[in-house]
Amino acid sequence: PRSAPLRPPSVHRFRRCAMRLLLLVFTCHAVCCAKWPLRAPHAPDVPASFDCAMRKAAYTFGRTLIPRLGAFPDLFYALGLNEPGCEGELQALDAGQPPPEPPAATLPSDAIYVSPSSQAGPQGYGSLDAPMRSLQLAADAAARTVGKTVVLRGGTHYLREPLRLEPWHSGLSLLGFPGESAVVSGGVRLRNLGWKPHDVTKSGQTKTTG
């Protein structure tokens, strides 16, 4: 069976940031429409300095949003920062400066926590200090709350049987705990494995089996 890692909240935050970047670029183009086509005189109500400042702000935000793209030349030229009158400079983020940390995820106050190493028993209480151990029971409990959120602590959550989600689970969200890696697996955890000689041949070669 294959294990499927959950998508942490950072994936959703990245999508929201990307949408904000697209909105900012669209706004810049909307502001620039008074001078379209390129190099046309500015309308009196849109100062050239404001237009240029907006495009440079969009470029700076884009580099900060996706630091792995370095100087982000595609965005630089798309914003026309190589034009006379608004000449920008391709600048990559400082290699010694780590990218900005994403904001911490906000988890619902009534979220149900589940951990594969919980010492509170299969049911537990579902709190941060006493998480449940059964993902199915956690999903059932969370479906009865307002937030309808299950937070999986780090580790591998083995399922003894398929997770049953019915119509009354509608709207349920399963999130990985921020900063931890949670995996849901339909496999079987092997315990107390040992190796011993098996099928020893005449040549002295030994085959081993688990």
Side-chain angles (χ1 to χ4, degrees):
R2 301 180 61 182
S3 301
L6 292 180
R7 290 185 175 181
S10 59
V11 175
H12 303 287
R13 292 197 299 272
F14 175 81
R15 290 178 177 174
R16 290 196 297 267
C17 290
M19 291 301 297
R20 290 201 298 267
L21 173 60
L22 291 176
L23 179 60
L24 183 56
V25 172
F26 176 79
T27 303
C28 291
H29 279 287
V31 172
C32 297
C33 66
K35 62 182 283 290
W36 202 261
L38 292 176
R39 301 179 179 85
H42 281 274
D45 56 341
V46 182
S49 58
F50 176 78
D51 166 52
C52 183
M54 286 293 294
R55 284 187 280 167
K56 289 182 177 180
Y59 175 60
T60 300
F61 179 75
R63 290 187 303 113
T64 305
L65 179 64
I66 315 179
R68 62 182 176 83
L69 295 182
F72 209 161
D74 292 339
L75 180 61
F76 179 85
Y77 294 114
L79 293 172
L81 293 179
N82 59 327
E83 303 172 12
C86 188
E87 296 180 358
E89 182 179 355
L90 282 169
Q91 296 180 350
L93 292 176
D94 185 0
Q97 177 184 3
E101 291 291 336
T106 302
L107 302 175
S109 58
D110 58 353
I112 302 297
Y113 294 83
V114 58
S115 171
S117 59
S118 174
Q119 302 300 322
Q123 294 186 356
Y125 298 101
S127 63
L128 181 61
D129 297 329
M132 293 183 172
R133 190 183 302 171
S134 168
L135 183 55
Q136 181 66 62
L137 294 178
D140 294 344
R144 299 183 179 92
T145 65
V146 176
K148 290 191 173 184
T149 300
V150 177
V151 179
L152 284 78
R153 300 301 305 266
T156 302
H157 299 254
Y158 291 97
L159 299 178
R160 295 185 178 180
E161 57 185 19
L163 185 64
R164 299 185 305 276
L165 298 179
E166 302 183 17
W168 60 279
H169 290 93
S170 179
L172 184 68
S173 297
L174 276 70
L175 305 176
F177 191 84
E180 299 181 359
S181 177
V183 177
V184 177
S185 174
V188 178
R189 185 175 184 179
L190 302 179
R191 300 175 181 271
N192 302 323
L193 291 178
W195 298 92
K196 61 183 179 180
H198 173 69
D199 192 15
V200 180
T201 63
K202 295 182 180 180
S203 61
Q205 295 180 350
T206 303
K207 298 180 180 180
T208 58
T209 183

